[in-house]
Amino acid sequence: MKLQDKVCIVTGAASGIGREIAMTYARQGGKLAIADLNKAAAQVVADEINRAGGQAMAVAMDVTSEEQVDAAVAEVAAAWGGVDVLVSNAGIQIVHPVEDFPFADWKKMLAIHLDGAFLTTKACVPHMKASGKGGSIIYMGSVHSKEASVLKSAYVTAKHGLMGLCKTVSKEGGKFGIRANVICPGFVRTPLVEKQIPEQSKALGISEDDVIKKVMLKDTVDGEFTTVQDVAEVALLFASFGSNALTGQSLVVSHGWFMQ
Ligand code: NAD
């Protein structure tokens, strides 16, 4: 049990990667706050964890709203006495060529990915300091924290931005035992990616099969998608690591797409 009784907040945990991280943490003894815009879907995940003998609660949270983030974090801390792990994972994708990118969509992307990471960090850090035990903050980056792809100006900008936030939080948090790290997955077949396949097929004028083979998995070593379980294993490592030796870092989990 690597996370026995650790209070873990995972944003965007009603679906995809966040859901799998929550399930993995719960199996390791963590108390899970399933935070999502979609409270009903978050409740389904929390119920599943509780039925399996774990401990979970669902909280409604739009990560772009300071009020909602603060209220949800306060609710979790009041219920369980603190916050030990934050996984800032909620995210969406919007693709357009830069000259056609609606400004409103650009702002929405930066709000969810960057404001969301900032606001959840800001709300959780005081609890990690107050406990005297520190904590672990994990940002869901992407290979797009390191690399660019066409049509993804907002996503690439936001995911690169998380690297700066992570490094700063790890420096500020060091003396309090608060660690911050970024996970950088390659393509994972979640609803976020399923939606992109037809969109990119249309935008690039190629078949959906070619989007998968010639765009998404082109630079992997074996033509394979990364899985939600692969990403959850890395999230477990970052959450359960025992010292400040592992902080301010980013780890690419991508079947070899982008090598440092
Ligand atoms: P997903 O669509 O399966 O899940 C995203 C979740 O975030 C949903 O439950 C959604 O309701 C929630 N969400 C969206 N906006 C929100 C908001 N404003 N406040 C709170 N919750 C909100 O997507 P996923 O693929 O699991 O993506 C999770 C994270 O992983 C994202 O940050 C994404 O950029 C990142 N990522 C995904 C991939 C991939 O290939 N799927 C690769 C690299 C990084």
Side-chain angles (χ1 to χ4, degrees), residues 10 28 41-42 44 57 64 66 69 76 112 119-120 129 137 157 161 222 225 228 231 237 256 260:
V10 184
Q28 294 292 332
V44 172
M57 65 191 280
T64 68
E66 184 170 21
V69 169
V76 174
I112 294 176
L119 290 171
T120 50
K129 284 188 179 175
I137 298 177
T157 301
D222 52 11
F225 277 101
V228 289
V231 182
L237 170 73
Q260 307 266 15

Side-chain angles (χ1 to χ4, degrees), residues 11-21 35-39 41-42 59-65 68-69 88-93 108-109 111-113 116 139-145 155 159 162 183-194 196 216 225-226 228 231 253 257:
T11 70
S15 173
I17 292 171
R19 178 183 177 282
E20 187 64 28
I21 290 173
D36 206 284
L37 198 56
N38 185 340
K39 170 94 189 279
V59 287
M61 185 196 284
D62 176 348
V63 297
T64 68
S65 157
Q68 286 191 32
V69 169
S88 170
N89 164 79
I92 63 164
Q93 178 61 283
K108 185 175 178 186
M109 287 292 287
I112 294 176
H113 291 275
Y139 299 108
M140 194 54 63
S142 162
V143 169
H144 287 112
S145 299
Y155 191 80
K159 293 300 191 189
L162 290 176
I183 305 176
C184 301
F187 281 98
V188 183
R189 274 198 108 147
T190 64
L192 179 142
V193 160
E194 293 296 347
Q196 280 177 62
M216 293 183 163
F225 277 101
T226 300
V228 289
V231 182
V253 51
W257 171 28

Side-chain angles (χ1 to χ4, degrees), residues 21 42 81 98 126 175 235-236:
I21 290 173
V98 69
K175 59 178 176 292
L236 180 59

Side-chain angles (χ1 to χ4, degrees), residues 104-116:
D105 283 350
W106 168 270
K107 286 197 272 199
K108 185 175 178 186
M109 287 292 287
L110 267 53
I112 294 176
H113 291 275
L114 288 179
D115 297 358

